[in-house]
Amino acid sequence: MYSQKQGQTVIDTDSHELVELVDSHELGKIFGKVAVLLGGCSAEREVSLASGARIFEALQASGIDCCLIDPVDGLVSQLVEQKPDRVFIALHGPRGEDGTVQGLLDQMDIPYAGSDIMSSALAMDKYRSKLLWQAVGLPTPDFMLIEQSENLDSCAEILPAFVKPSLEGSSVGITRVDREQDLLPAWEQASEYGSSVLVEQFIDGPEFTVAILNGQPLPAIRIESAESFYDYDAKYLSGNTQYHLPCGLSASKEQELQALALTAFETLGCSGWGRVDFMQDQRGRFWLLEANTVPGMTETSLVPMAAKSVGLSFDALVLEILKSSLLPAHQKEVGIKGSDELVQTESEVI
């Protein structure tokens, strides 16, 4: 873990033991130049811009050489020009959080923080996440994948339900449906974001989220929205959403929730950092909704909130996340294949 002491940072370079106190100059040697990817072209672009800007400021405050890259301006060309030693991905949604950027970075041999190609793709796909959780016996609400409107009649048996794009995040395109006649307009709205539409049974009860940070679950947060559910507006625009931390669960129930979050996260193969969302029914049972491999890092985002509750400042949180790019899976020679050694090797950085 990281903690702050007299202007210095305790850094665990092998992710297991605290080994030394390092100042900002030493951090620069360890991490090298960091590119923050932000913006992109998904429906979550504005949130990504806000997340990336905060991450960039935190890296600067820690004395780390860093730059901003928006993929809409040409991702490969900017990576070649900037020559980063590693990348902090702050792209939310498709073409950023779904394994595509992770695959590109792997091909260019540039380490990055967070989950790899496979786990990013699985977590982004709500339908396949739920199939996998269901297969290993983890609790998730009943669901159906509807790619043709003619198949909506089969969903009547699981109403009330949420209708949402299977490949989007931040509750984009989501509608609560209580009546069968409202299924079609909800499906049409969700299908604007892709042909894969998930219909998921509504669970009546409080919503919780658990952040995961380098293999450890952080304290759970209970979300209380003034809206009918915790949608995009409630997350980023409304000032009426309440976040309860401590979450109000007993110690044993919170431990149960944290254990379930970590199991669900690791079942998808996710690593580094992320967030897992739940509903709790009237009998106290928890139900998995989705996992997020690149959660928001805005002023109102939940991962920074949970980290703060255990004494981790935002700047220290960013460093802790970036540390996952130093793990063995990411320990590769840094550089762009065929680019005439445009980037320093990691051995030279460390």
Side-chain angles (χ1 to χ4, degrees), residues 20-155:
E20 60 180 334
L21 286 172
V22 293
D23 58 21
S24 60
H25 177 69
E26 292 299 317
L27 281 176
K29 288 184 178 180
I30 290 168
F31 290 123
K33 183 176 182 178
V34 179
V36 179
L37 306 190
L38 78 170
C41 57
S42 80
E44 300 174 71
R45 174 176 171 80
E46 295 305 316
V47 179
S48 174
L49 288 171
S51 292
R54 288 196 77 204
I55 292 163
F56 179 72
E57 290 172 2
L59 291 172
Q60 284 188 315
S62 297
I64 294 173
D65 182 19
C66 52
C67 63
L68 292 171
I69 293 179
D70 189 337
V72 298
D73 299 320
L75 179 54
V76 174
S77 61
Q78 290 184 84
L79 288 170
V80 170
E81 178 184 353
Q82 293 291 342
K83 308 178 183 63
D85 293 304
R86 63 195 69 253
V87 164
F88 195 122
I89 302 172
L91 297 166
H92 306 316
R95 299 182 69 180
E97 197 173 351
D98 61 358
T100 52
V101 166
Q102 290 78 2
L104 173 65
L105 294 172
D106 281 344
Q107 286 297 307
M108 298 176 78
D109 281 339
I110 304 176
Y112 52 89
S115 295
D116 63 11
I117 305 171
M118 181 193 72
S119 53
S120 296
L122 272 174
M124 191 72 231
D125 190 327
K126 298 180 180 66
Y127 173 66
R128 286 170 177 78
S129 292
K130 289 166 70 71
L131 283 177
L132 189 52
W133 288 334
Q134 193 177 63
V136 298
L138 298 181
T140 190
D142 287 344
F143 60 99
M144 295 182 180
L145 186 71
I146 306 296
E147 297 183 306
Q148 302 292 331
S149 60
E150 293 80 8
N151 299 326
L152 284 170
D153 290 345
S154 62
C155 299

Side-chain angles (χ1 to χ4, degrees), residues 168-179:
E168 281 286 351
S170 289
S171 301
V172 171
I174 186 171
T175 305
R176 176 176 166 171
V177 174
D178 296 288
R179 303 179 305 169

Side-chain angles (χ1 to χ4, degrees), residues 15 26 49 58 69 90 95 110 114 162 164 169 171 173 201 212 240 254 257 261 275-276 281 324 326 330 334 340:
S15 300
E26 292 299 317
L49 288 171
I69 293 179
R95 299 182 69 180
I110 304 176
F162 286 107
K164 52 189 173 182
S171 301
Q201 189 172 43
I212 307 293
N240 298 321
E254 182 167 8
L257 180 61
R275 203 189 72 231
V276 185
D281 66 20
S324 67
L326 300 170
H330 294 288
V334 184
D340 298 321

